Structure formats: structure tokens, C-alpha cells
């Protein structure tokens, strides 16, 4: 599969870029033509605004505008110059403070900033936590752009590709399907593999640790009970690997399925950690397209600890 991160250089193909660079180095003057590295220097010297970066992502991702999208600016100004970019899952207080330390004033976050899907700051009246977060963002002039709907619209999906990549499952990954067929392992071995590759300390499961798993439905994030149950019913995987579930929906479906003689297992990774690898890989996707700006991933991490 072609990696979208390996795009061209400022509109030049790789071949043109290399040919032009070679000729310039060899002292071959082409009439009316500047050396290829001149365009690269212009990019490196350019100051980008928040809107410039957003436009670049949409252009490079071949993305059409999405109506009623949640992918809007949550703070900051679209015209402010970008000093550095942070990618993350949730723009937590820690992530914001770390961005300030790194002199990065633009955070691209996959999930909401203000505790609800549409980031409605008036959803809960007199929300002092939200108010203090807004004050922190304003104090340091931090812009936050949610990158959710567009993130999932790029081909391949930034999140699912990033997760499969970090789980070392790219040889089995298909952009058009959530199902991967991996070498047969026990559920216990599969759990350990996911804990190790994704850096998760604890996982929740429904199933027999000794049962065999080969056909996996990988659904990071919060796909929702209807989507998860539909995937389980139509794809019939050995194991459903989800980011998060509503315990009264997917978890109860899997429990009843097993009580009726079925053998499908469930692994719950956790929402933040299940999609974080996608936002981590997004740095590699975006950085070659924006060499003038330092782009860093900061993991928001799992909000839960286990006692």
C-alpha cells in the first residue's frame, strides 16, 4: 500500500526534484529555470497561519468540505502565525502546558476539547473547569483544531492505519475493511501482543483466554453499539477489538452471544489509547508536506488507572 506520507516536493515529482537538483549541482544552467532547491528554501522560509495548515491538510488529503462537521477551530485565531504544531487525541491541560513549553501554539486534536461532541461551551452552565481551560488557551494564544471527520475521511483512514501499523498488523490491513486475518493465536497471547505494541497496561476482555483468535474486527475509538454489533453480526470475527463500548450495548450483546453457544470474544482497549497511534502517525503524514514547521505528537494518555 502506498504511504500517503511519501508525497512529492512542492508540486515536483520525486524524479523531477532529483533531476533538477542533480543538474544544479553539476552546474548545468537551464534557461529561465531556478534550481529546484530554491522552491524548497521558499517553503522553509514561509510563515504559515493556522488556516494555511488546515487548507494544506484538506488539499493533501484530497478532502471535500464536510457539511456540519465538528472539525472546527475550538480556540485561537485562524490567521495567527503557527510557531509549532502538536498532534494529540485529547487536548488536555497537560498537553496544552507541554505545547507552551515547546513554543507550539497550534494543537490538532482528534477528540473534543470541552467534554461534548460539538464542543458546546454552554452545554453545562457555570462550568468552572471549562472556563479555566479557556483562560489557559487565551493566555498562551493556543489554537485548537479538531481533526476528526476529515481524519477518518483520508484514504487510508489516519486512525485505523496508524493503529494497525503500531500493532504490527500492516501486512493484514485493508483500508476498505475493519477485518484483519492474522496468524492464529490464543486470546491471552493476543491481549499480551496488544498491551506490548500499543503500550497499554491493562485491558478488559470477555472470552476464554485459551480460545483461538485469527479473524479480528478492529474498531478503535467509539464506533457505537449499533456499528459494533453490526460488525460482529455480519463479519463474524473471532474477536471484536474496540476502543470503548457502552456496557449496556456491545458488552451485553457479546455476553449473550457466548451464553447462546457463540465463541466471539471482546477486547476493550480504551478510547484514548486505541486511537492515539493514528494521531502519532499523522505527524509522519504531515511533516514532509510542511517542512517549515516543527510537528510533534504528545499522547494524551489513558485517563484511568486500575486498583
Amino acid at each position: 500500500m502506498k504511504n500517503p506520507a511519501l508525497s512529492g516536493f512542492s508540486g515536483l515529482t520525486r524524479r523531477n526534484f532529483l533531476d533538477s537538483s542533480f543538474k544544479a549541482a553539476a552546474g548545468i544552467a537551464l534557461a529561465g529555470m531556478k534550481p529546484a532547491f530554491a522552491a524548497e528554501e521558499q517553503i522553509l522560509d514561509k510563515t504559515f497561519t493556522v488556516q494555511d495548515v488546515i487548507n494544506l491538510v484538506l488539499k493533501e488529503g484530497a478532502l471535500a468540505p464536510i457539511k456540519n462537521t465538528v472539525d472546527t477551530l475550538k480556540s485561537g485565531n485562524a490567521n495567527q502565525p503557527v510557531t509549532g504544531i502538536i498532534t494529540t487525541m485529547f487536548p488536555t491541560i497537560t498537553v496544552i502546558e507541554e505545547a507552551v513549553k515547546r513554543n507550539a501554539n497550534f494543537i490538532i486534536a482528534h477528540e473534543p476539547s470541552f467534554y461534548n461532541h460539538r464542543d458546546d461551551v454552554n452545554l453545562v452552565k457555570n462550568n468552572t473547569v471549562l472556563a479555566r481551560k479557556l483562560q489557559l488557551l487565551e493566555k498562551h494564544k493556543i489554537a485548537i483544531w479538531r481533526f476528526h471527520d476529515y481524519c477518518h475521511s483520508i484514504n487510508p483512514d489516519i486512525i485505523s492505519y496508524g493503529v494497525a501499523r503500531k500493532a504490527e498488523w500492516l501486512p493484514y490491513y485493508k483500508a476498505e475493511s475493519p477485518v484483519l486475518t492474522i496468524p492464529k493465536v490464543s486470546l491471552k497471547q493476543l491481549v499480551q501482543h496488544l498491551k506490548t505494541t500499543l503500550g497499554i497496561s491493562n485491558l478488559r476482555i470477555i472470552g476464554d483466554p485459551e480460545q483461538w483468535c485469527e479473524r479480528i474486527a478492529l474498531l478503535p475509538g467509539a464506533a457505537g453499539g449499533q456499528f459494533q454489533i453490526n460488525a460482529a453480526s455480519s463479519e463474524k470475527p473471532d474477536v471484536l477489538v474496540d476502543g470503548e463500548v457502552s456496557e449496556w450495548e456491545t458488552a451485553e450483546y457479546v455476553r449473550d452471544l457466548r451464553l447462546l453457544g457463540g465463541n466471539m470474544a471482546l477486547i476493550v482497549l480504551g478510547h484514548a489509547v486505541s486511537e492515539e497511534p493514528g494521531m502519532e502517525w499523522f505527524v509522519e503524514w504531515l511533516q514532509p508536506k510542511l517542512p517549515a514547521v516543527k510537528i510533534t505528537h504528545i499522547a494524551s494518555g489513558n485517563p484511568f488507572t486500575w486498583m
Side-chain angles (χ1 to χ4, degrees):
M1 181 184 297
K2 184 179 179 181
N3 188 332
L6 302 178
S7 62
F9 294 88
S10 311
L12 292 173
T13 63
R14 288 185 182 279
R15 183 173 180 180
N16 288 342
F17 177 83
L18 292 173
D19 286 349
S20 299
S21 298
F22 174 79
K23 290 174 181 178
I28 301 176
L30 301 179
M33 183 176 185
K34 293 182 179 180
F37 56 75
E40 186 73 8
E41 287 176 352
Q42 288 178 349
I43 291 177
L44 291 173
D45 291 339
K46 177 177 172 61
T47 297
F48 288 85
T49 66
V50 166
Q51 191 62 55
D52 287 336
V53 175
I54 293 172
N55 292 344
L56 178 70
V57 172
L58 301 187
K59 178 183 177 182
E60 293 293 329
L63 298 168
I66 298 175
K67 292 183 179 180
N68 202 30
T69 181
V70 296
D71 292 5
T72 58
L73 272 185
K74 310 305 178 183
S75 67
N77 189 308
N79 295 320
Q80 70 186 60
V82 174
T83 60
I85 297 174
I86 299 297
T87 73
T88 193
M89 266 294 291
F90 290 88
T92 66
I93 298 298
T94 300
V95 170
I96 294 168
E97 291 174 339
E98 187 61 31
V100 173
K101 291 178 183 177
R102 295 170 184 251
N103 191 35
N105 66 349
F106 186 22
I107 297 174
I108 300 178
H110 186 61
E111 295 296 10
S113 302
F114 306 126
Y115 325 119
N116 64 88
H117 183 54
R118 294 210 164 269
D119 284 301
D120 182 355
V121 296
N122 297 310
L123 190 67
V124 176
K125 301 299 182 183
N126 302 317
N127 188 333
T128 57
V129 172
L130 190 152
R132 291 180 64 184
K133 190 171 191 176
L134 285 170
Q135 290 169 3
L136 180 65
L137 291 167
E138 175 60 27
K139 176 182 177 181
H140 296 287
K141 305 301 180 185
I142 302 292
I144 297 178
W145 178 49
R146 187 171 180 194
F147 181 51
H148 182 273
D149 299 347
Y150 289 116
C151 182
H152 288 301
S153 299
I154 291 176
N155 187 22
D157 181 304
I158 293 290
I159 298 298
S160 66
Y161 184 92
V163 175
R165 177 176 177 268
K166 192 155 189 176
E168 301 175 355
W169 285 345
L170 280 186
Y172 322 110
Y173 174 81
K174 297 179 181 178
E176 68 279 4
S177 173
V179 177
L180 301 84
T181 301
I182 67 169
K184 187 179 293 186
V185 294
S186 69
L187 180 60
K188 182 178 180 180
Q189 290 171 320
L190 178 58
V191 166
Q192 187 56 54
H193 175 78
L194 289 169
K195 288 170 66 175
T196 300
T197 56
L198 301 184
I200 305 174
S201 58
N202 294 279
L203 297 176
R204 292 190 296 169
I205 72 165
I206 297 176
D208 177 0
E210 302 306 321
Q211 72 181 80
W212 292 106
C213 302
E214 185 176 21
R215 186 173 167 82
I216 295 169
L218 180 62
L219 303 175
Q226 182 179 13
F227 190 90
Q228 292 165 347
I229 292 170
N230 182 66
S233 177
S234 61
E235 300 293 347
K236 295 179 172 50
D238 298 321
V239 57
L240 193 63
V241 179
D242 291 333
E244 71 170 69
V245 299
S246 293
E247 295 185 15
W248 50 279
E249 295 179 333
T250 307
E252 289 303 324
Y253 172 83
V254 175
R255 173 152 66 174
D256 275 350
L257 178 149
R258 296 183 66 84
L259 290 172
L260 290 170
N263 199 43
M264 189 187 76
L266 172 68
I267 298 176
V268 181
L269 302 173
H271 191 145
V273 292
S274 75
E275 294 191 293
E276 196 80 67
M279 294 307 290
E280 183 179 3
W281 180 63
F282 181 56
V283 174
E284 297 184 34
W285 185 93
L286 183 58
Q287 187 67 84
K289 303 169 175 59
L290 198 61
V293 181
K294 174 65 176 175
I295 308 173
T296 308
H297 176 73
I298 298 176
S300 56
N302 193 337
F304 299 101
T305 55
W306 300 83
M307 296 181 66

